[in-house]
Every structure is written in C-alpha cells, then in structure tokens.
Amino acid sequence: MPTAKGVLKAVFNQESGITLHKDGLNALADFLAESADAERTAAQLLDAAQRAQVSVLDPAAAAELVAILRGLKRQRADPIQVISAFQVPRVKFDSIRRAFYLAPDRAPLLGLAQDKLDLYMQRLYVLQQRLRRIPMFCGPVYNRMRTSERDFCELTELKALLGSVGEVRYVLGCISQLQDGRFFLEDLSDALPLDLSSANTATGFYTENCVVVAEGELGHNGVFKVHALGFPPVEARAKSQAAAKGLDFFGGTPLRGAEADAAADWEAEHTGARIVALADLWLDRPDTLDALSRVLAGFEEMDEPPSVMLLMGNFQSAACAADAAAVKENFSALAATLSRFLRLLEHTRYVFVPGPGDPGPGDVLPRPPLPAALTGAVRAAVPNAVFATNPCRLRHYTQEIVVFRDDLECRMRRMCLRPPAGGGAARGEMFEHLCATLLQQSHLCPLPLEAQPVVWAHDASLRLYPLPHALVLADSAPSTHCTFEGTVCLNPGSLAAGTFAAYVPGLREVELCDIPGAEDD
C-alpha cells in the first residue's frame, strides 16, 4: 500500500508544474494520513493548488491548501508588506543540477568560513546562469562550423586561454585584487592579471568585486589585455521567474489567485496612490522638522493620502550622536509632529529605514532596525509605524520594491577602476551608471567586503534578482530618477536640502518634489 508521501508525489507529478518542498510535502502527508480516501483527497489538494496558482509547495502553501479543504476561511494576505532583510528567503543555485533551491536551514548571524565562500560563489552563479539564457552568449548546438563567429560570443574559461595566446576571446570573471595594487580577472578555473589601460567600457561603474564580461587577448607575458569591458546583461523579470520554477526570491506572502487579481484592480483604480520617499530626516534640526510638517500638511489635504511614507535616515545631522537622551527626545518631537496629521495616521503606513550614520552595530549590511529604546514615543503614537532594516523590501499590491539608504554613488565613483563611459557630467547621468551597475550585477552593493562589510549568510538580502519593479536608492546626491530595463529607479535626494520624491505604482511614474514654501525660507 503506497504511503501518504507516495500518493502525493504521484498526484503532484512533474506535469502539474508544481515544485515540491520537503517541509510542505510533510505537512500535506500528515493531513493526508487522516483521510479515509487518500487518492481522492490528494486529487482535491492538487485541484485547490491549481486554483490558487501555487507554483511551489512550501509550508505556507501547504497550510493554505489544508485550510481550503477543511473549509476554514483563509486569512487574507496584507497587500502592503514590509519585509526585513533577515527574513529574505535563502535561495541558492546548484551548479551541478543547474537549478535554484531553497536552503533548508536558517541563516546564522555569525556565519562560518563556508558562508563567506558561498557569498562569492552564489554571486557568480546567479550571473552565470542568467548569461547562459541570453542568445548573444548561446552558441549553436548543431552546425557550429556553418555559423559566423559574429552571430554569438562564445565564453572561454580562463584556464583555456593558455593555449590561445594572441587570440581575441570573451571571458566571464570577477575583478579581484589578489596582490596589492594589481588587479586580476578570476573565475572558477584560474586567475589572470588584467590590463585595463586601453579598455572601452559600457555604462556602469567597474570596481573591484564586480563580475564582468571582457573581450581581449592573452599576451605572451601572461596578462589578459582587455579591449572591451561590460556587465552581464539583465533579462526580463518574467524570464528569470520562469527559470526559478516558481521559487520566491523576494520574501513575504505573495498574493495569489483572486487576491492578486483584486490587487491589480486596486492599482488600476487608485492611480493617485503614492509611495513617498524622504531621506536625511535630521531630527536635531528644527528646520528639517518644519519641512516635514509642510510635506505632511500637503498630503493630508489630498483626496487620496499616500499608502506608504518611507522615512529614511540619517536621523541626526551628526553621525551616531553619543547623547542617547537627546536622540530619544528628538524622536519624541517627531512623534508629536506625526500625531497632528490624523488622516495620514489612519491611512498611511510609516516605514522607518536607518541610515549609515544612525545608531547600530557598526557599518555592516544589512543593518537592523532603529532601537526600540530610542523610538518608543513614535511606536506609541503611530499605530502604522514599521521599523525596517536597511535594506528592506516592500510588497505593494502587485509590485515588489527594494529600498536602500546609503551614499553609494560617491563610494562607487571613488572605487571605479575606469572613468564612466560618457563622462557623466549631466545631472542624473551618474545615477544611471549606478543603477545599471546594481541591476546588471543583481546586487545592491557589489563592493569588496573590506570596503563594505556584509553579514556573510545574509548576502541574499542584497540580491536584485529577479528584477524588482522599483528600486529606491536614497543617496546624498541630488534627487533624480531613471528607468533601466523596466525597473523604475529613484533617488529622493535629501529632505535637509529641500527635496523628496514620490513613486506612483499605478502609473509606474516618479514625481520629484521640492518642499512647499522652502523657497520663502
């Protein structure tokens, strides 16, 4: 007699298109063991899964299916979810099976040496598997001799270059500084010294630790001389999701079935709904609190108040103020300011994101939320306040949005190995270079760990794969926005300088705003 697991595996076969997760399968097996007719119940579970558009049978999906069959009313998923960086799923790529999988263990805060190795390996694997699906880098399986070399760019491993000195080849690798002041190109097979003196570069910032596609030739001196340098091209979000076979990289509770349809209808009807982003909310400066009051007063009078307000650090004009009592008092003043706007308190969700200079456990990513000991007054006065990590993620109805507060543009420019293509003199051009770099690297901060420490086991929380719908990069640079391969990118600028920004999800548009009345100050 087949076991409950055996019945489930037979019903949820490969033709169903549903990926089985170990814990989800165990949960359904326990439920199936209570049934008198296991095959009939398993068929009902499959029908419920297909109706709910379940693609991965994880524990959450299993609980949902059990609730449906038991006639229980399923708790509706919140259409607006703020996801902590420490709750992002640990999806890894298996280079042997060439498939993504969900790591079964919970990521530790203090990782092992293997976690540091996995950090680099997974960054390379994600880009490598994406590159294999791009036609430009996919050679023909048959009739190779009849195909012109210009039809595709065949990638060569670095160790294979030793037998092709003087021949132009394309390679994929990571820029590393294996010796002081000397850069190498490194892949899984070898590492070769780099000569970038005459390299032409595409859009982006080329820094140490970036994964690049290089066109060049190996010289007799063993140095790879680069003629052209670029990043692995991005691919459409839907194509990345299809390759992952339904695995959720983002986190939270995805809306499925009727809930997803209702969320899409809501966005189509509420084209006035906004996500407002404000950075550098210096609470120790009275003029900044006054500017915030003007912004809130303007949105208070609108027909449709913002659905989310992102209040990002730094929350002090001086980094890491030592006087904890003064910081606590400043947050009490913020609580009093927010309490005056009753419509926003009722309809708007306030999300607080710490900046690089705010109190916390050092300059390491991801940063935990602002301490409750300092923000108690805000937590008590604002019921809809959410204290998030940096970076954090936002599910807003049908859209996935990544939020990051860091002065990243300046740091990337400082560590750039080659001047950006085009010079970047125009306003916003450097921001376009930054967005192109991050989205093509599929990572929020592709800098060396010496320049930007990262919690090794939580590096997946900085991943930008598949492409998000929107990317909020709050930076000290002037406010600007751009769209790169379908992802809307925006920098709200600094509230202390009189600027902020709003993203309209229903229209996928960005509004760059100045503080009302600031010109009269």
Side-chain angles (χ1 to χ4, degrees), residues 331-342 344-346 348 350 352 375-387:
F331 275 104
S332 297
L334 175 62
T337 300
L338 299 179
S339 300
R340 301 205 317 263
F341 303 95
L342 302 181
L344 297 182
L345 281 181
E346 181 180 358
T348 301
Y350 290 94
F352 293 83
T375 59
V378 176
R379 296 171 190 264
V382 184
N384 290 333
V386 178
F387 289 85

Side-chain angles (χ1 to χ4, degrees), residues 147-345:
T147 304
S148 170
E149 294 183 358
R150 295 183 180 179
D151 292 340
F152 68 98
C153 302
E154 184 177 6
L155 294 176
T156 305
E157 286 190 332
L158 293 181
K159 68 177 181 180
L161 293 179
L162 299 179
S164 57
V165 175
E167 299 179 14
V168 176
R169 295 297 180 95
Y170 296 90
V171 295
L172 173 72
C174 178
I175 300 178
S176 305
Q177 190 174 182
L178 302 182
Q179 300 176 9
D180 287 343
R182 192 176 187 187
F183 292 95
F184 290 72
L185 190 65
E186 186 177 10
D187 68 3
L188 299 178
S189 66
D190 205 349
L192 294 175
L194 270 181
D195 180 3
L196 300 174
S197 59
S198 58
N200 294 317
T201 58
T203 302
F205 294 125
Y206 295 86
T207 68
E208 180 186 350
N209 218 48
C210 280
V211 177
V212 298
V213 177
E215 175 193 358
E217 57 186 272
L218 184 66
H220 292 282
N221 58 355
V223 176
F224 187 75
K225 185 175 180 60
V226 179
H227 302 322
L229 198 63
F231 291 131
V234 299
E235 68 178 357
R237 172 184 169 84
K239 193 171 182 179
S240 297
Q241 290 176 321
K245 297 182 179 179
L247 280 174
D248 177 37
F249 289 76
F250 199 77
T253 305
L255 301 181
R256 298 190 180 101
E259 289 184 348
D261 295 337
D265 293 339
W266 186 92
E267 283 186 342
E269 294 173 2
H270 295 76
T271 55
R274 291 171 173 82
I275 299 173
V276 180
L278 305 96
D280 285 346
L281 185 56
W282 294 345
L283 301 180
D284 56 339
R285 293 265 299 270
D287 55 336
T288 304
L289 268 181
D290 181 56
L292 176 64
S293 298
R294 297 178 189 176
V295 173
L296 297 178
F299 285 114
E300 177 87 356
E301 298 174 358
M302 296 184 68
D303 295 334
E304 185 168 7
S307 54
V308 176
M309 292 202 73
L310 299 170
L311 303 181
M312 294 174 279
N314 296 327
F315 289 95
Q316 306 291 322
S317 58
C320 294
D323 190 350
V327 175
K328 189 174 181 179
E329 184 178 346
N330 292 335
F331 275 104
S332 297
L334 175 62
T337 300
L338 299 179
S339 300
R340 301 205 317 263
F341 303 95
L342 302 181
R343 284 190 68 222
L344 297 182
L345 281 181

Side-chain angles (χ1 to χ4, degrees), residues 434-449:
L434 176 63
C435 296
T437 302
L438 303 188
L439 294 175
Q440 290 180 108
Q441 290 293 299
S442 293
H443 200 272
L444 272 175
C445 193
L447 291 172
L449 294 183

